[in-house]
Amino acid sequence: MSESEQQAIERKLTTILSADVAGYSQMMEADEAGTFRRLRQARATIDTLLTRHRGRIANTAGDSVLVNFPSAVEAAACAIAIQDRFDARNSNSEGVEPLRFRIGINLGDVMVEPDGDIFGDGVNVAARLQGLAEPGAILVSRTVKELVQDKLEVTFSAQGPQQLRNLAQSVEVFALSAGKAKSVDRLIAGDFGIASQAGDTGNSALMALAAIMIVAGLVFDHWVVWPGIGLYWFCAGPLITGLAADSERRNILQMGKTIFGLALINLASLSPEPWFLYPSFFLVLVYLWRRRKRTGA
């Protein structure tokens, strides 16, 4: 390759997430139309989560998707959200084979095409990790583990050095899963996902409707306030995460969303006591503890 051709190639260091559906070919053979329909629905959910965590799709092929992230932390958080979302969805599916994703994550130097597609060893490692993963699992390289382990409530299980196909050097592999604080994290982060599939425009409209219902309930007919609060609770999280690109700012806004929601419930219950202050104080302490742990201050 000439020097001019080398200079024309754009390169960057990025975090690559590779995902596919386990057993997709067999599911297509058994029920092509139904499997394709469920894959399209799954892609809509994944697209929302990618937007929330600043992921950019580089390539898709059949049931697989290749995404790059500006941050290993965001990539890991997104992978956990994907698996968590589909674990919950699959537990409620009856008589239908669930869609279970295998995910691999790697940090590496890649070559970037003008259309955004990416190539290189960094991509190959992520794809091979995905191929090694069990259905519903996430495998990461050591570099990703080291960047993520002190910034998210996650656990790692060492899988040892793995000789990945068509790669000369072995890669130390770790299985990533959510830690014990997942439930509290999801409460603060608002990652319950019921409204997330509607998209930002739909969430904005639903939030406006929620505000109207809450005001109408407080002024006219009290029962209307409760469905209004419900709409607020499930729409505010995805809307905020779409607006806040910085993860720290996002955490603060989501905590404020939860505290405000508790205040609305306190108001709607007609209680003379401001009881919402007690769980709010707990949420603030959790946030400050997690922030101190992340920054090491």
Side-chain angles (χ1 to χ4, degrees), residues 107-281:
L107 176 72
D109 189 271
V110 301
M111 297 176 289
V112 186
E113 290 276 32
D115 62 0
D117 202 357
I118 54 178
F119 300 89
D121 285 344
V123 177
N124 294 337
V125 170
R128 301 294 186 266
L129 291 174
Q130 169 253 296
L132 285 178
E134 295 292 329
I138 305 165
L139 293 184
V140 305
S141 60
R142 169 172 281 281
T143 307
V144 173
K145 172 186 179 291
E146 291 174 347
L147 290 171
V148 170
Q149 61 187 356
D150 295 326
K151 298 178 179 63
L152 291 176
E153 290 289 347
V154 295
T155 59
F156 293 93
S157 174
Q159 306 296 299
Q162 300 289 330
Q163 188 63 54
L164 304 181
R165 182 167 56 89
N166 295 335
L167 295 176
Q169 295 184 338
S170 62
V171 175
E172 196 165 358
V173 179
F174 298 84
L176 167 68
S177 59
K180 296 179 180 178
K182 180 174 70 173
S183 297
V184 174
D185 294 344
R186 291 182 67 195
L187 180 62
I188 294 175
D191 189 23
F192 290 91
I194 291 181
S196 66
Q197 296 183 46
D200 291 341
T201 302
N203 282 330
S204 299
L206 290 174
M207 279 290 289
L209 177 61
I212 293 172
M213 293 176 71
I214 291 170
V215 173
L218 294 174
V219 175
F220 300 107
D221 197 341
H222 189 71
W223 75 266
V224 180
V225 75
W226 292 108
I229 292 174
L231 269 180
Y232 160 80
W233 196 273
F234 290 112
C235 295
L239 186 62
I240 289 173
T241 51
L243 296 174
D246 178 74
S247 59
E248 193 66 36
R249 182 178 174 218
R250 185 186 310 136
N251 288 337
I252 294 173
L253 291 176
Q254 295 289 8
M255 180 176 62
K257 163 252 178 182
T258 303
I259 293 173
F260 185 67
L262 292 172
L264 287 175
I265 294 173
N266 193 163
L267 181 64
S269 67
L270 302 179
S271 172
E273 298 294 331
W275 56 258
F276 81 96
L277 293 175
Y278 302 110
S280 299
F281 180 68

Side-chain angles (χ1 to χ4, degrees), residues 283-296:
L283 289 177
V284 172
L285 287 180
V286 170
Y287 165 76
L288 292 175
W289 174 75
R290 285 174 49 77
R291 182 179 179 184
R292 183 175 183 273
K293 187 175 180 181
R294 286 194 300 270
T295 58

